[in-house]
């Protein structure tokens, strides 16, 4: 650390390199925080979590009891042991509460004054955070599994919605109506995700084993259907033009938008080049996935080597994105984990489970003391510590 600071001060190192190295160290040291509780409000399993991107302070949760809770993650008490309190909740006695399980919650990307929620009650609701009243309600003919707003778009206010039907619905917050429909899947849409790099690029995952990338400006819509075999299998083969050999129920772009991660009920996770749809063939091993609906997983941001956090039974598995190496398993829940969300400002992770609890995972304060063995070489260090960036000086 002192070497990094000295090199940065003298201009020998890129200032971002220290940040990436420290972020990586903190992610590798994630552990269950025994000094921080998240107030238990839900009477059913936690299906979805989202932390607002403006301050990184407020978190939404949605449960199978139909309840939505807003938490303040900041330690206002300044005590070493504290509880993240619920600021407010939309409980069973609220007139606009969802009647059935809440499957997705999401903050409006540019302002904490608004958030959205979707539910098995066939609705997508837009909420005013200050009054906790609905500003708009979109009704659908089918059960809603997932929805997503673009984290970067300033040119449109479209919400992509995946339902039990095979059509992807695009709802326009400006007009208050469904602007158009994307057709191409054959079964229910279990997950949708906008690109964090391009305003109009959308990824959708379906129970038909397919993942599609769309440019919503195009009349034809679909840009690419991802193929796990990269076109090397005959079109007559049943698995041709499929991303997985089972339902695809989770999607997540890397923070730079250059790659897309997918998970399926075939117990596999795959990494795709989002520009050409190529399967990168990174092997993550078996990624246990028995979920019959959408699985909410997440990726790190700002590390030397990025990481992906995937619910894995009652644990959360942590992998390096580009090598596929499993780094650790985070154990703390005692029932199936359905969602997790990464707080990139402090490299913290929050997870929600069917045990009705939300757990906080934070970087360890103490680094392991190295052995007095002087034979330890750089090759013995965890490769995830190595900075993937290099300068021209190093290359020379």
């Amino acid at each position: 650390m002192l070497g990094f600071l000295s090199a940065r001060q003298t201009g020998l190192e890129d200032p971002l390199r220290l940040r990436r190295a420290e972020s990586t160290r903190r992610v590798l040291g994630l552990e269950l925080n025994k000094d921080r509780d998240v107030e238990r409000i839900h009477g059913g399993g936690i299906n979805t979590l989202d932390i607002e991107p403006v301050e990184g302070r407020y978190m939404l949760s949605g449960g199978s009891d139909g309840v939505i809770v807003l938490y303040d993650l900041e330690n206002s008490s300044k005590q070493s042991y504290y509880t993240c309190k619920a600021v407010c909740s939309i409980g069973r006695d609220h007139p606009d509460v969802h009647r059935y399980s809440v499957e997705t919650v999401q903050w409006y990307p540019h302002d904490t004054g608004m958030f959205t929620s979707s539910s098995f009650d066939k609705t997508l609701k837009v909420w005013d955070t200050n009054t906790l009243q609905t500003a708009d309600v979109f009704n659908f003919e089918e059960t809603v599994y997932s929805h997503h707003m673009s984290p970067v778009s300033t040119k449109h206010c479209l919400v992509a919605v995946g339902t039990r039907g095979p059509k992807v619905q695009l709802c326009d917050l400006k007009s208050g109506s469904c602007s158009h429909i994307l057709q191409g899947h054959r079964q229910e849409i279990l997950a949708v995700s906008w690109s964090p790099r391009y305003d109009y690029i959308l990824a959708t995952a379906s129970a038909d084993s397919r993942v599609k990338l769309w440019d919503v400006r195009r009349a034809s819509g679909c840009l690419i259907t991802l193929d796990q075999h990269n076109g090397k299998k005959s079109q007559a083969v049943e698995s041709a033009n499929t991303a997985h050999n089972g339902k695809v129920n989770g999607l997540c772009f890397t923070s730079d938008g250059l790659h897309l991660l997918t998970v399926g009920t075939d117990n596999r996770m795959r990494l795709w080049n989002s520009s050409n749809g190529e399967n990168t063939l990174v092997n993550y091993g078996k990624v246990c996935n028995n979920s019959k609906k959408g699985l909410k997983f997440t990726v790190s941001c700002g590390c030397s080597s990025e990481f992906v956090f995937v619910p894995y039974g009652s644990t959360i598995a942590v992998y390096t994105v580009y090598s596929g190496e499993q780094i650790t398993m985070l154990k703390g829940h005692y029932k199936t984990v359905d969602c997790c969300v990464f707080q990139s400002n402090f490299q913290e992770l929050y997870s929600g489970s069917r045990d009705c609890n939300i757990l906080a995972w934070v970087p360890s304060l103490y680094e392991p003391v190295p052995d007095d063995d002087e034979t330890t070489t750089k090759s013995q260090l965890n490769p995830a510590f190595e900075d993937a960036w290099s300068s021209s000086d190093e290359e020379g």
Side-chain angles (χ1 to χ4, degrees), residues 146-148 159-163 168 189-194 202-205 251:
S146 175
H147 79 269
H148 193 236
V159 184
V161 182
T163 70
V168 182
I189 312 298
L190 297 174
V192 294
S193 182
W194 291 95
L202 174 70
T204 59
L251 283 174

Side-chain angles (χ1 to χ4, degrees), residues 115-224:
F115 64 89
T116 54
S117 63
S118 58
S119 164
F120 276 178
D121 65 8
K122 304 179 182 179
T123 64
L124 165 70
K125 296 186 177 184
V126 183
W127 300 87
D128 182 319
T129 310
N130 298 309
T131 64
L132 285 190
Q133 301 299 314
T134 52
D136 207 346
V137 179
F138 295 87
N139 293 285
F140 302 93
E141 296 178 358
E142 306 276 0
T143 297
V144 180
Y145 285 112
S146 175
H147 79 269
H148 193 236
M149 288 179 285
S150 171
V152 295
S153 178
T154 56
K155 299 174 183 176
H156 68 76
C157 288
L158 297 175
V159 184
V161 182
T163 70
R164 185 167 284 172
K167 300 173 183 176
V168 182
Q169 316 262 356
L170 295 180
C171 301
D172 192 341
L173 295 182
K174 288 183 179 178
S175 67
S177 62
C178 287
S179 60
H180 56 295
I181 289 169
L182 304 176
Q183 300 188 63
H185 285 293
R186 300 173 186 174
Q187 295 184 44
E188 61 261 37
I189 312 298
L190 297 174
V192 294
S193 182
W194 291 95
S195 166
R197 192 177 187 89
Y198 302 108
D199 285 16
Y200 295 99
I201 301 300
L202 174 70
T204 59
S206 170
D208 65 7
S209 303
R210 288 172 170 80
V211 174
K212 291 179 179 289
L213 292 176
W214 313 77
D215 183 337
V216 299
R217 297 168 297 183
R218 290 165 46 126
S220 57
C222 185
L223 286 174
I224 307 169

Side-chain angles (χ1 to χ4, degrees), residues 217-360:
R217 297 168 297 183
R218 290 165 46 126
S220 57
C222 185
L223 286 174
I224 307 169
T225 299
L226 302 185
D227 180 6
Q228 60 183 306
H229 306 296
N230 287 331
K232 295 177 181 177
K233 284 283 180 78
S234 165
Q235 293 300 306
V237 177
E238 187 178 348
S239 63
N241 284 333
T242 59
H244 288 262
N245 297 321
K247 296 180 179 181
V248 189
N249 59 352
L251 283 174
C252 188
F253 279 96
T254 53
S255 56
D256 58 12
L258 295 177
H259 291 86
L260 175 69
L261 285 151
T262 62
V263 292
T265 56
D266 57 355
N267 295 328
R268 289 287 178 265
M269 178 163 63
R270 294 198 165 93
L271 179 71
W272 311 82
N273 183 319
S274 60
S275 62
N276 60 15
E278 181 186 7
N279 181 1
T280 63
L281 303 177
V282 173
N283 182 13
Y284 299 95
K286 181 180 179 180
V287 181
C288 185
N289 178 2
N290 298 319
S291 179
K292 295 179 180 178
K293 51 186 182 179
L295 190 70
K296 314 294 196 297
F297 66 104
T298 189
V299 292
S300 65
C301 178
C303 298
S304 301
S305 175
E306 298 298 0
F307 303 92
V308 55
F309 308 90
V310 189
Y312 191 113
S314 62
T315 67
I316 300 121
V318 184
Y319 302 88
T320 52
V321 170
Y322 301 110
S323 73
E325 179 190 1
Q326 185 183 105
I327 300 298
T328 187
M329 300 281 275
L330 301 177
K331 300 177 181 178
H333 288 286
Y334 55 90
K335 285 189 179 179
T336 301
V337 178
D338 283 320
C339 59
C340 56
V341 63
F342 186 70
Q343 212 281 27
S344 58
N345 293 351
F346 302 107
Q347 294 79 45
E348 297 174 347
L349 185 75
Y350 292 84
S351 59
S353 165
R354 295 178 196 176
D355 60 17
C356 308
N357 292 315
I358 299 172
L359 298 183

